[in-house]
Amino acid sequence: IMKRQNVRTLSLVVCTFTYLLIGAAVFDSLESATEAKRWEFLQAVKNNFVTKYNVSAEDYRMIEIVIIENKPHKAGPQWKFAGAFYFATVVLAMIGYGHSTPTTVAGKLFTMFYAMVGIPLGLVMFQSIGERLNKVASVIIRRAKRASGAKSTDATEMNLMLATGMLSSIIITTGAAVFSRYEGWSYFDSFYYCFVTLTTIGFGDYVALQNDQALTSKPGYVALSLVFILFGLAVVAASINLLVLRFMTMQAEDAKRDEEEAQHQAIINQALAFDDNGKLLEHYCITENDERASNCPCTCMDGTRCHNHQNDIFVDEVLFDYPVLFIDPVIFVDEEMLEPEDIVESPICIKRASV
């Protein structure tokens, strides 16, 4: 029998792939038509440009390369200290905008080694900060409940999730207003940028600090952007920490429940034991000091279906803290087939038995 944890894991895999299929279908219906129209428009512009200025295909390709390569330099030097620090933050936070990338072999090698050390370090740091934020939130929640006279003053997981969710919403909405002001984006596009950044998706279609030499001429805005990324990721880590703890708690509870059920089933299997030939085992010895031990001299299990106990009524007892009902063997074995020669002796013992 498949364990409950395996069932949950398989269900998560199936749900995830189903979610991916649904997402693909929705994105296809929302974006594919617009993509085709934009491509047609760009092709028309290209053809008009080539025809008007009599540009060859090689020259047009060179113009494309120059324009694409020039885009990162609009923000000023990308690899001076301010720009390099911004790049290092993006690497450590696993955002990966792609707005600037190393071009030298040494730079690419250092990026790989830097990420191998920096990403685990950043994850541990964000996780630790998230735990501290959850502790602070739990203290605030308990005090608020105590002040309001609530019966229960404990900070539940749901309370903490709501608190971190509200804080995340405040950070994203406030950040969207700031970036809309400095970058000239619409509020919706700024909100989209904040969400994509703090969830570490980092598409790179919107990147802050890339206009008007912002990396060198606006140090206050650079610092604000870095604080937004680091603190926002810490708050998101607090929410993830709660989800991970909840999942681990569920796994521990399931493991404990499975162990209890296995012990319970083992006791029941002992109570209704048959040998390999299907013969009913003779008796079960009971602990000597058990006051409820049967004094019946017959070979039946607690007098079940023997001639001395035809009218006895059997009740539930507790075996190792588990309720067990010793079911009448007639449910499992035809009464006419249960002959004396079908009963064999067995030294199997259980701690208690119903009498």
Side-chain angles (χ1 to χ4, degrees), residues 263-275:
Q263 293 177 357
H264 190 181
Q265 188 62 40
I267 295 171
I268 294 177
N269 292 340
Q270 273 192 330
L272 299 175
F274 295 84
D275 67 1

Side-chain angles (χ1 to χ4, degrees), residues 18-95:
T18 304
Y19 193 71
L20 289 173
L21 293 174
I22 294 173
V26 173
F27 286 128
D28 185 2
S29 63
L30 292 176
E31 296 292 335
S32 59
T34 302
E35 179 189 34
K37 291 180 180 179
R38 292 185 64 180
W39 175 250
E40 292 176 1
F41 174 76
L42 291 174
Q43 287 297 108
V45 172
K46 173 185 174 181
N47 293 333
N48 291 335
F49 180 83
V50 171
T51 303
K52 182 177 181 179
Y53 297 101
N54 194 23
V55 179
S56 64
E58 292 77 8
D59 292 339
Y60 185 83
R61 178 58 183 162
M62 182 60 64
I63 293 173
E64 284 184 328
I65 293 174
V66 170
I67 293 175
I68 293 172
E69 293 294 330
N70 183 62
K71 184 177 179 180
H73 299 281
K74 291 174 61 179
Q78 292 287 324
W79 295 107
K80 293 298 182 181
F81 185 79
F85 191 86
Y86 187 53
F87 174 80
T89 303
V90 169
V91 171
L92 185 140
M94 297 185 296
I95 299 174

Side-chain angles (χ1 to χ4, degrees), residues 20-21 43 47 60 69 73-74 95 134 152 156 167 202 208 230 233 258 260 264 282 286 297 317 326 328 348 354:
L20 289 173
L21 293 174
Q43 287 297 108
N47 293 333
Y60 185 83
E69 293 294 330
H73 299 281
K74 291 174 61 179
I95 299 174
N134 287 333
S152 176
T156 63
L167 185 57
L230 295 175
L233 287 175
D258 288 342
E260 292 175 351
H264 190 181
E282 178 189 359
I286 308 172
E317 272 301 339
F326 291 123
D328 194 327
I348 297 176
S354 296

Side-chain angles (χ1 to χ4, degrees), residues 67-287:
I67 293 175
I68 293 172
E69 293 294 330
N70 183 62
K71 184 177 179 180
H73 299 281
K74 291 174 61 179
Q78 292 287 324
W79 295 107
K80 293 298 182 181
F81 185 79
F85 191 86
Y86 187 53
F87 174 80
T89 303
V90 169
V91 171
L92 185 140
M94 297 185 296
I95 299 174
Y97 289 128
H99 64 292
S100 63
T101 55
T103 56
T104 64
V105 174
K108 293 176 182 178
L109 285 173
F110 181 74
T111 299
M112 290 187 286
F113 286 107
Y114 185 79
M116 285 185 353
V117 176
I119 289 176
L121 178 63
L123 289 175
V124 173
M125 182 197 70
F126 290 130
Q127 190 74 8
S128 180
I129 296 175
E131 291 178 359
R132 296 302 94 198
L133 289 175
N134 287 333
K135 290 290 185 181
V136 173
S138 63
V139 172
I140 295 174
I141 291 171
R142 285 198 298 268
R143 290 181 179 179
K145 286 187 174 182
R146 193 178 299 113
S148 62
K151 294 182 179 180
S152 176
T153 59
D154 294 334
T156 63
E157 290 181 350
M158 185 59 66
N159 296 145
L160 292 175
M161 287 182 183
L162 290 175
T164 54
M166 290 178 59
L167 185 57
S168 300
S169 300
I170 293 173
I171 292 174
I172 291 177
T173 53
T174 304
V178 172
F179 289 113
S180 177
R181 166 71 176 78
Y182 280 95
E183 297 291 339
W185 301 330
S186 67
Y187 184 82
F188 178 78
D189 289 339
S190 299
F191 188 93
Y192 167 79
Y193 162 77
C194 293
F195 180 84
V196 169
T197 296
L198 296 187
T199 52
T200 68
I201 299 173
F203 288 127
D205 49 351
Y206 289 90
V207 183
L209 304 174
Q210 298 301 296
N211 295 319
D212 303 326
Q213 304 285 321
L215 287 171
T216 56
S217 62
K218 299 178 180 179
Y221 180 42
V222 174
L224 181 63
S225 299
L226 294 175
V227 169
F228 167 79
I229 292 175
L230 295 175
F231 183 70
L233 287 175
V235 174
V236 172
S239 302
I240 295 175
N241 177 261
L242 291 173
L243 294 176
V244 171
L245 287 177
R246 179 56 183 164
F247 184 76
M248 293 176 63
T249 302
M250 292 173 61
Q251 283 191 319
E253 292 175 351
D254 288 343
K256 182 178 180 181
R257 189 182 301 111
D258 288 342
E259 183 179 357
E260 292 175 351
E261 290 178 355
Q263 293 177 357
H264 190 181
Q265 188 62 40
I267 295 171
I268 294 177
N269 292 340
Q270 273 192 330
L272 299 175
F274 295 84
D275 67 1
D276 295 336
N277 297 322
K279 293 185 178 181
L280 184 66
L281 298 178
E282 178 189 359
H283 69 281
Y284 295 69
C285 61
I286 308 172
T287 54

